[in-house]
Amino acid sequence: MKKFNIRKVLDGLTAAAAASSSSSQPGQRPPDSDIVETLCSDHFQLCKTVRHGFPYQPSAMAFDPVQKILAIGTQSGSLRLFGRPGVECYCQHDSGAGVIQLQFLVNEGALVSALADDTLHLWNLRQKRPAILHSLKFNKERITFCHLPFQSKWLYVGTERGNVHIVNVESFTLSGYVIMWNKAIELSSKSHPGLIVHISDNPMDEGKLLIGFESGTLVLWDLKSKKGEYRYSYDEAIHSVAWHHEGKQFVCSHSDGSLTIWNVKSPIRPAQIITPHGKLPKDGKKPEPCKPILKVEYRTCKSGDPFIIFSGGLSYDTVGRRPCLTVMHGKSTAVLEMDYPIVDFLTLCETPYPSDFQEPYAVVVLLEKDLVVVDLGQNGYPIFENPYPLDIHESPVTCCEYFADCPVDLIPALYSAGAKQKRQGYSKKEWPINGGNWGLGTQSYPEIIITGHADGSLKFWDASAITLQVLYKMKTSKVFEKSRNKEENPNTDIVDEDPYAIQIISWCPESRMLCVAGVSAHVIVYKFSKQEATTEVIQMLEIRLHYEINDLESPDTDQVPSVGTSCQGSNSQTANSQSHPSASSTSSDGLRDNIPCLKIKSTPLKQGAGYQAEVVIQLVWVNGEPPQQITSLAVNSSYGLLVFGNCNGIAMVDYIQKTVLLNLGTIELYGSNDPYQRQPKSPRKTRQASGGLCDINEGSTALDDRCKSPTSGSASSCNSEDEQKLPNFIEKAKMSRKLSLPTELKPDLELGFGSKSRGQRLNHHLEEMKQLKNHVLSMTSRCIHFFNVRDNSFSRSRSSSVTSIDKESREAITALHFCETYTRKSDTCTSPCLWVGTTLGTVLVIVLNLPPGGEQRLTQPVIVSPSGTILRLKGGILRMAFLDTTGSLLHPAHEPWKEPNVQEEKDDKDKCRKLRPVSVSPSSSQEISETQYAVICSEKQAKVVSLPSQNCIYKHNITETSFVLRADIVGLNGSICLACFCANGHIMTFSLPSLRPLLDVNYLPLTDMRIARTFCFTNNGQALYLVSPTEIQRITYSQGTCENLQEMLGELFTPVETPDAPNRGFFKGLFGGGAQSLDREELFGESAAGKPSRSLAQHIPGTGGIEGVKGAATGVAGELARARIALDERGQKLSELEERTAAMLYSADNFSKHAHEMMLKYKDKKWYQF
């Protein structure tokens, strides 16, 4: 019977829905037959892969000394298990209750976790994805401490009431054997001794159980006789207890910072009282009390003094001292300061047997935000270099980007640069936590994750094959002067803390160009070099990008409100302020003006191998207002251009010539073609219905003329009077610029003036310029753009209030994309351009006229001009991309990486110039008859627009009730799709270009802005986000990856023989001096102890068995395919074997015949006749 496939049915339904929701222009059929879409819903499945980083808010830790596996539990109920570098696992308790204690079943592949909701869980670690086998919920008593003796199946559970219960870890049921608190202490105390803080058995006698109560009372309980053998009492509360391996002494840590050492058979008083960090008074009295010693461990060595290791216990007068771990060894006491508070620590020993010399070799210290392993075998106790990626949060992560299928030479190059940054002074021994085995990953493509941090640093991570390893670190703050106090830089910071924090990363893996935007409205361009370099002077550009609200007197006062909104660029100068920006830091009103938020270093900067700063761009204060933070960023190595935008406008920089090309307010990008009727009163009444495709070229010949190329003949329509006035206007406008215009470029300014209709309005503007100096039009260092800034439609507000025009209502730049495509309907060939998306759902196209490569690129200007093309969508624009006629993704042009610090020979230079894949001006581009498709995704919908016709051939409303947070066009299985993450937690994918829904999973509700800030998709079905301040969660939406995930994951449990028990020796065996075993089954079994109380605890079966079956069945389709191939091969081999067997039978028959004939021939002959 054929299996019913619901996914194929859904494919048909979603295809029909997409066809009905798609809109095509009348008379034009969507080109379904041109592009064959290979992706369907069968290719998609969502699942978590791995989690990297430090466990957030750790609370407990355990170590298996035989398997060499470390487990860490957290306050949110998660478990992280670590083996050798590259082997780690994440598990989660469904309840989300905090983990209070962990206990390994040593070398059994199992782990017991005790949670704050009084539940015990047994985890099966023998499968790649551990699962819970059993759970036991305590109903009447609260769990405070657990102890599982080595090679025992009986778990001791201490409770808040002071009772001890015993659990069989095989069946996870309670024993009827209970140690009640009142029977344990009998008459030694008149009051309740408090909750149980410690349980352990005597190393030499398993029948003796030491029970520690919080109040300071200890009881050595005889399990066989069911009574207390000895009782010990101390005035101070107990925090922990540790045995000497011979079982004759134990040490307790107390709340007053003291350690008490007791002889087992002397319960009256301690054998010794030590206050390690207490000051001894001269009169011989008791030392001053110190902070509590939270935990102590007592470890012995065959050939030396024992180790006493404890956390806490510092004197109260050590104010500001960091948390410490103290190691007492013989007469020496070492205090090891930690960066964060200590949560727990464990001593790693050579033997798992508590009755033998432990021979400690390392201490694992779990801190609140770090994991430290101390080498006890070397002088000075150095730490091991941590191979796990646990320092993601070294500085808080502010943004991240994910790149799959990178160039193969990129990871070695980054690793080589990062190898020179490694710290020294680590232990020379190998990392001691080395259990488990690596998975057999089938993914071979390189993956890189870049994280940006609050201190301005960036980290590059090798994320290939579901592992994570740091490659290279860099600090962007190195180019700035660090102010020692706020008085040195008063009122210029726009943030109180972390002025260097990274907000946006733009990286080109092929050319290795890197751009970062920081929170202080600064952008830094970096080039990659394998050699060190010293930069004498760091190139800096200051840009005056400001949005101003002015009281304007319009000539049309009857029709236009008296209050207008205009957007001024870097060249703007208000009528009230005539001071030269470059010569003044304070405006005439006494406000801060033309001052950047950060100060560039004036001294030479030594830059190591790796990324080296090329140019720094900073937005400056304008009339007392700080610059707005950058909202979008893009870089293109082929064009040599960098562009960024914020809520004020957009700026473009030529980082090759170190000049500003474009500096415009968002509204100025529209010119008079603004589709919005931006009125300060009732702004929503006259706004166009969003979602439609706006074509400004239809119905107006003037608009059609405006859309022509600035290099076309219509640009010469400016009359001679205009041309005479232009130089005067330029000279006046130059006074308001930070960057002066080179004299030799003045004749080229005419190229930036736009088309015929713009020239017709030029007279009107030049006449008004004398009266309205605050409306100086925006100009850049390479070209001038003229827009109708007096248009009354510029006054706008997105506020619900009729009269309010606030800063939050500005139209911000949210998406930028360099490409080579058709910019206008009339284009017959592609040209380099920049597509700009805004928060109002508008897409604008800017044409780039690039000079040829080589020397001309260094001297000739890049001409930037608007195309007049405007597209509209619902919601802010998030992502743009372009497809060719086959549906393949058109990647932005890029230049291959070459070493920037090496002087090239002339032949190499000429060769590079010829091979440089830079696009030339539109007039000389090759004509291309095929069309392209623009894919545009906003917060609400996605559109596919055919170019150059600009017809919307497909449209899909992604969400009505929520909004898209992140969208990416990604490659999967040799095709491409649109992947979206919505604020309501849905992850969706759509086919391209038809926008058929392929996947829609309610995965993760937006509970934290951290997720929205860090979520990103990449190729091959991979995605990630910051699940906590310290952890990265990687997920996949690829069915193939989900099927192969089981093979890719590492194995935690590996078969290892348990070490032999210590030799008792002849005399100890003869006189019974060795460790005494106990038949716990006889004591705790139902036949001897009886049945437990049913109401005390409830057994809950786990899903470990089912999960194990699921894990084994993961990738069953692939397994069946492989099995089928194997069967075919086996059939072929069997047939070959059959033929060989037949041939052998035939030869055997022949041999038998010949042998029979020979026998007959010589049968009657005597031996001497031969």
Short mmCIF file of all heavy atoms in Angstrom, two decimals, residues 230-268:
data_model
loop_
_atom_site.label_atom_id
_atom_site.label_comp_id
_atom_site.label_asym_id
_atom_site.label_seq_id
_atom_site.Cartn_x
_atom_site.Cartn_y
_atom_site.Cartn_z
N TYR A 230 28.00 7.30 66.40
CA TYR A 230 28.64 8.48 67.00
C TYR A 230 27.86 9.73 66.59
O TYR A 230 27.28 9.79 65.50
CB TYR A 230 30.10 8.62 66.55
CG TYR A 230 30.99 7.48 66.99
CD1 TYR A 230 31.43 6.52 66.06
CD2 TYR A 230 31.42 7.38 68.31
CE1 TYR A 230 32.26 5.49 66.45
CE2 TYR A 230 32.26 6.34 68.70
CZ TYR A 230 32.66 5.40 67.77
OH TYR A 230 33.48 4.37 68.17
N ARG A 231 27.89 10.72 67.48
CA ARG A 231 27.27 12.02 67.18
C ARG A 231 28.28 13.12 67.49
O ARG A 231 28.88 13.11 68.56
CB ARG A 231 25.98 12.20 67.97
CG ARG A 231 24.91 11.20 67.57
CD ARG A 231 23.67 11.29 68.43
NE ARG A 231 22.68 10.32 67.99
CZ ARG A 231 22.65 9.04 68.39
NH1 ARG A 231 23.58 8.60 69.25
NH2 ARG A 231 21.72 8.22 67.94
N TYR A 232 28.43 14.04 66.53
CA TYR A 232 29.40 15.13 66.65
C TYR A 232 28.64 16.46 66.62
O TYR A 232 27.70 16.63 65.83
CB TYR A 232 30.41 15.09 65.49
CG TYR A 232 30.93 13.69 65.19
CD1 TYR A 232 30.22 12.83 64.35
CD2 TYR A 232 32.12 13.24 65.75
CE1 TYR A 232 30.69 11.57 64.06
CE2 TYR A 232 32.60 11.97 65.46
CZ TYR A 232 31.89 11.13 64.63
OH TYR A 232 32.35 9.87 64.35
N SER A 233 29.05 17.37 67.45
CA SER A 233 28.35 18.65 67.52
C SER A 233 29.34 19.80 67.55
O SER A 233 30.38 19.72 68.22
CB SER A 233 27.46 18.68 68.77
OG SER A 233 26.72 19.87 68.81
N TYR A 234 28.97 20.88 66.79
CA TYR A 234 29.82 22.08 66.74
C TYR A 234 28.89 23.29 66.73
O TYR A 234 27.75 23.24 66.26
CB TYR A 234 30.70 22.05 65.48
CG TYR A 234 31.80 23.09 65.48
CD1 TYR A 234 32.86 23.00 66.39
CD2 TYR A 234 31.79 24.15 64.58
CE1 TYR A 234 33.87 23.95 66.39
CE2 TYR A 234 32.81 25.09 64.57
CZ TYR A 234 33.84 25.00 65.49
OH TYR A 234 34.84 25.94 65.49
N ASP A 235 29.40 24.41 67.24
CA ASP A 235 28.56 25.59 67.42
C ASP A 235 28.17 26.26 66.10
O ASP A 235 27.15 26.95 66.03
CB ASP A 235 29.26 26.63 68.31
CG ASP A 235 29.48 26.09 69.72
OD1 ASP A 235 28.73 25.17 70.10
OD2 ASP A 235 30.39 26.58 70.42
N GLU A 236 28.98 26.12 65.10
CA GLU A 236 28.73 26.81 63.83
C GLU A 236 28.06 25.90 62.80
O GLU A 236 28.26 24.69 62.82
CB GLU A 236 30.05 27.35 63.25
CG GLU A 236 30.74 28.37 64.12
CD GLU A 236 29.96 29.66 64.25
OE1 GLU A 236 29.15 29.96 63.33
OE2 GLU A 236 30.14 30.37 65.25
N ALA A 237 27.28 26.51 61.95
CA ALA A 237 26.57 25.76 60.91
C ALA A 237 27.55 25.08 59.96
O ALA A 237 28.62 25.60 59.65
CB ALA A 237 25.64 26.68 60.13
N ILE A 238 27.15 23.91 59.50
CA ILE A 238 27.98 23.13 58.57
C ILE A 238 27.56 23.43 57.13
O ILE A 238 26.37 23.54 56.84
CB ILE A 238 27.83 21.62 58.85
CG1 ILE A 238 28.37 21.28 60.25
CG2 ILE A 238 28.55 20.80 57.79
CD1 ILE A 238 28.13 19.86 60.65
N HIS A 239 28.57 23.54 56.24
CA HIS A 239 28.29 23.72 54.82
C HIS A 239 28.69 22.50 54.00
O HIS A 239 28.02 22.18 53.03
CB HIS A 239 29.02 24.96 54.29
CG HIS A 239 28.35 26.24 54.67
ND1 HIS A 239 27.27 26.75 53.99
CD2 HIS A 239 28.60 27.12 55.66
CE1 HIS A 239 26.89 27.89 54.54
NE2 HIS A 239 27.68 28.14 55.55
N SER A 240 29.77 21.83 54.38
CA SER A 240 30.18 20.63 53.63
C SER A 240 31.08 19.77 54.49
O SER A 240 31.63 20.23 55.51
CB SER A 240 30.89 21.00 52.32
OG SER A 240 32.16 21.55 52.61
N VAL A 241 31.26 18.51 54.08
CA VAL A 241 32.07 17.52 54.80
C VAL A 241 32.87 16.73 53.78
O VAL A 241 32.39 16.47 52.68
CB VAL A 241 31.20 16.57 55.63
CG1 VAL A 241 32.06 15.58 56.42
CG2 VAL A 241 30.27 17.33 56.57
N ALA A 242 34.13 16.36 54.13
CA ALA A 242 34.97 15.54 53.25
C ALA A 242 35.75 14.53 54.09
O ALA A 242 36.25 14.86 55.17
CB ALA A 242 35.93 16.43 52.46
N TRP A 243 35.85 13.31 53.58
CA TRP A 243 36.53 12.21 54.29
C TRP A 243 38.00 12.15 53.90
O TRP A 243 38.37 12.44 52.76
CB TRP A 243 35.90 10.87 53.93
CG TRP A 243 34.63 10.54 54.65
CD1 TRP A 243 33.37 10.71 54.20
CD2 TRP A 243 34.51 9.94 55.94
NE1 TRP A 243 32.46 10.27 55.11
CE2 TRP A 243 33.14 9.78 56.20
CE3 TRP A 243 35.43 9.51 56.91
CZ2 TRP A 243 32.65 9.21 57.37
CZ3 TRP A 243 34.96 8.95 58.08
CH2 TRP A 243 33.58 8.80 58.32
N HIS A 244 38.83 11.69 54.85
CA HIS A 244 40.17 11.17 54.54
C HIS A 244 39.98 9.76 54.00
O HIS A 244 39.09 9.04 54.45
CB HIS A 244 41.04 11.16 55.80
CG HIS A 244 42.47 10.83 55.54
ND1 HIS A 244 42.91 9.54 55.37
CD2 HIS A 244 43.59 11.62 55.44
CE1 HIS A 244 44.22 9.54 55.16
NE2 HIS A 244 44.65 10.79 55.21
N HIS A 245 40.80 9.35 53.03
CA HIS A 245 40.54 8.07 52.36
C HIS A 245 40.63 6.87 53.29
O HIS A 245 40.09 5.80 52.97
CB HIS A 245 41.49 7.90 51.16
CG HIS A 245 42.83 7.34 51.53
ND1 HIS A 245 43.86 8.15 51.99
CD2 HIS A 245 43.32 6.07 51.50
CE1 HIS A 245 44.92 7.39 52.23
NE2 HIS A 245 44.63 6.14 51.93
N GLU A 246 41.30 7.00 54.42
CA GLU A 246 41.40 5.87 55.34
C GLU A 246 40.17 5.72 56.22
O GLU A 246 40.04 4.72 56.94
CB GLU A 246 42.65 6.05 56.23
CG GLU A 246 43.95 5.91 55.46
CD GLU A 246 45.16 6.09 56.37
OE1 GLU A 246 44.97 6.54 57.52
OE2 GLU A 246 46.28 5.80 55.92
N GLY A 247 39.28 6.68 56.18
CA GLY A 247 38.03 6.57 56.93
C GLY A 247 38.15 6.82 58.42
O GLY A 247 37.21 6.54 59.16
N LYS A 248 39.31 7.35 58.85
CA LYS A 248 39.49 7.59 60.28
C LYS A 248 39.27 9.06 60.65
O LYS A 248 39.11 9.37 61.82
CB LYS A 248 40.91 7.17 60.71
CG LYS A 248 41.18 5.68 60.54
CD LYS A 248 42.62 5.35 60.90
CE LYS A 248 42.91 3.87 60.68
NZ LYS A 248 44.32 3.53 61.00
N GLN A 249 39.28 9.93 59.65
CA GLN A 249 39.12 11.36 59.88
C GLN A 249 38.21 11.95 58.81
O GLN A 249 38.11 11.44 57.70
CB GLN A 249 40.47 12.09 59.83
CG GLN A 249 41.28 12.05 61.10
CD GLN A 249 42.50 12.96 61.00
OE1 GLN A 249 42.94 13.28 59.90
NE2 GLN A 249 43.05 13.37 62.13
N PHE A 250 37.57 13.04 59.16
CA PHE A 250 36.84 13.84 58.17
C PHE A 250 36.95 15.31 58.57
O PHE A 250 37.21 15.65 59.73
CB PHE A 250 35.37 13.41 58.06
CG PHE A 250 34.57 13.51 59.32
CD1 PHE A 250 33.94 14.69 59.69
CD2 PHE A 250 34.44 12.39 60.17
CE1 PHE A 250 33.20 14.78 60.85
CE2 PHE A 250 33.70 12.48 61.34
CZ PHE A 250 33.08 13.67 61.68
N VAL A 251 36.76 16.16 57.59
CA VAL A 251 36.88 17.60 57.81
C VAL A 251 35.55 18.26 57.46
O VAL A 251 34.87 17.86 56.51
CB VAL A 251 38.04 18.21 56.97
CG1 VAL A 251 37.82 17.98 55.49
CG2 VAL A 251 38.21 19.68 57.26
N CYS A 252 35.17 19.27 58.26
CA CYS A 252 33.93 20.02 58.03
C CYS A 252 34.26 21.49 57.78
O CYS A 252 35.19 22.03 58.38
CB CYS A 252 32.98 19.92 59.23
SG CYS A 252 32.51 18.26 59.69
N SER A 253 33.47 22.11 56.91
CA SER A 253 33.60 23.56 56.71
C SER A 253 32.38 24.24 57.33
O SER A 253 31.27 23.72 57.28
CB SER A 253 33.68 23.89 55.21
OG SER A 253 32.46 23.63 54.57
N HIS A 254 32.63 25.43 57.91
CA HIS A 254 31.58 26.07 58.70
C HIS A 254 31.31 27.50 58.24
O HIS A 254 32.08 28.09 57.46
CB HIS A 254 31.98 26.07 60.19
CG HIS A 254 32.15 24.68 60.74
ND1 HIS A 254 31.10 23.93 61.20
CD2 HIS A 254 33.26 23.90 60.88
CE1 HIS A 254 31.54 22.75 61.62
NE2 HIS A 254 32.87 22.72 61.43
N SER A 255 30.25 28.05 58.79
CA SER A 255 29.78 29.38 58.39
C SER A 255 30.65 30.51 58.92
O SER A 255 30.54 31.64 58.45
CB SER A 255 28.34 29.58 58.86
OG SER A 255 28.26 29.41 60.26
N ASP A 256 31.53 30.23 59.90
CA ASP A 256 32.40 31.27 60.43
C ASP A 256 33.78 31.27 59.76
O ASP A 256 34.71 31.92 60.25
CB ASP A 256 32.55 31.13 61.94
CG ASP A 256 33.24 29.84 62.35
OD1 ASP A 256 33.34 28.92 61.49
OD2 ASP A 256 33.69 29.73 63.50
N GLY A 257 33.93 30.54 58.66
CA GLY A 257 35.20 30.49 57.96
C GLY A 257 36.19 29.54 58.57
O GLY A 257 37.39 29.63 58.26
N SER A 258 35.74 28.61 59.40
CA SER A 258 36.65 27.66 60.06
C SER A 258 36.50 26.27 59.46
O SER A 258 35.48 25.94 58.86
CB SER A 258 36.37 27.60 61.56
OG SER A 258 35.06 27.10 61.79
N LEU A 259 37.56 25.48 59.62
CA LEU A 259 37.57 24.07 59.26
C LEU A 259 37.79 23.26 60.53
O LEU A 259 38.70 23.56 61.33
CB LEU A 259 38.68 23.76 58.26
CG LEU A 259 38.61 24.44 56.89
CD1 LEU A 259 39.90 24.16 56.11
CD2 LEU A 259 37.41 23.95 56.10
N THR A 260 36.96 22.24 60.74
CA THR A 260 37.15 21.36 61.89
C THR A 260 37.48 19.97 61.40
O THR A 260 36.82 19.44 60.50
CB THR A 260 35.88 21.30 62.76
OG1 THR A 260 34.76 20.90 61.95
CG2 THR A 260 35.57 22.66 63.39
N ILE A 261 38.56 19.40 61.96
CA ILE A 261 38.98 18.04 61.60
C ILE A 261 38.64 17.13 62.77
O ILE A 261 39.06 17.38 63.91
CB ILE A 261 40.49 17.99 61.28
CG1 ILE A 261 40.80 18.92 60.08
CG2 ILE A 261 40.92 16.56 60.96
CD1 ILE A 261 42.27 19.04 59.76
N TRP A 262 37.84 16.09 62.48
CA TRP A 262 37.35 15.18 63.52
C TRP A 262 37.95 13.80 63.35
O TRP A 262 38.08 13.31 62.22
CB TRP A 262 35.83 15.05 63.45
CG TRP A 262 35.07 16.33 63.66
CD1 TRP A 262 34.86 17.32 62.76
CD2 TRP A 262 34.42 16.73 64.87
NE1 TRP A 262 34.11 18.32 63.32
CE2 TRP A 262 33.82 17.99 64.61
CE3 TRP A 262 34.28 16.16 66.14
CZ2 TRP A 262 33.09 18.67 65.58
CZ3 TRP A 262 33.54 16.84 67.10
CH2 TRP A 262 32.96 18.09 66.82
N ASN A 263 38.32 13.18 64.47
CA ASN A 263 38.61 11.76 64.49
C ASN A 263 37.29 11.03 64.68
O ASN A 263 36.47 11.41 65.51
CB ASN A 263 39.56 11.39 65.62
CG ASN A 263 40.97 11.93 65.36
OD1 ASN A 263 41.41 12.01 64.22
ND2 ASN A 263 41.66 12.32 66.44
N VAL A 264 37.09 9.97 63.90
CA VAL A 264 35.79 9.30 63.89
C VAL A 264 35.41 8.80 65.29
O VAL A 264 34.27 8.94 65.71
CB VAL A 264 35.82 8.13 62.89
CG1 VAL A 264 34.57 7.27 63.01
CG2 VAL A 264 35.96 8.64 61.48
N LYS A 265 36.38 8.28 66.00
CA LYS A 265 36.08 7.69 67.30
C LYS A 265 36.21 8.67 68.46
O LYS A 265 36.18 8.26 69.63
CB LYS A 265 36.97 6.47 67.54
CG LYS A 265 36.73 5.36 66.52
CD LYS A 265 37.56 4.12 66.82
CE LYS A 265 37.27 3.02 65.82
NZ LYS A 265 38.06 1.78 66.07
N SER A 266 36.36 9.96 68.17
CA SER A 266 36.44 10.98 69.23
C SER A 266 35.39 12.05 68.95
O SER A 266 35.69 13.14 68.41
CB SER A 266 37.83 11.61 69.27
OG SER A 266 38.82 10.62 69.49
N PRO A 267 34.14 11.79 69.28
CA PRO A 267 33.06 12.71 68.92
C PRO A 267 32.91 13.90 69.87
O PRO A 267 32.12 14.79 69.60
CB PRO A 267 31.82 11.83 68.98
CG PRO A 267 32.15 10.79 70.00
CD PRO A 267 33.63 10.56 69.93
N ILE A 268 33.65 13.93 70.96
CA ILE A 268 33.43 14.97 71.96
C ILE A 268 33.85 16.34 71.44
O ILE A 268 33.14 17.32 71.57
CB ILE A 268 34.19 14.63 73.27
CG1 ILE A 268 33.68 13.31 73.83
CG2 ILE A 268 34.03 15.76 74.29
CD1 ILE A 268 34.47 12.80 75.03
#
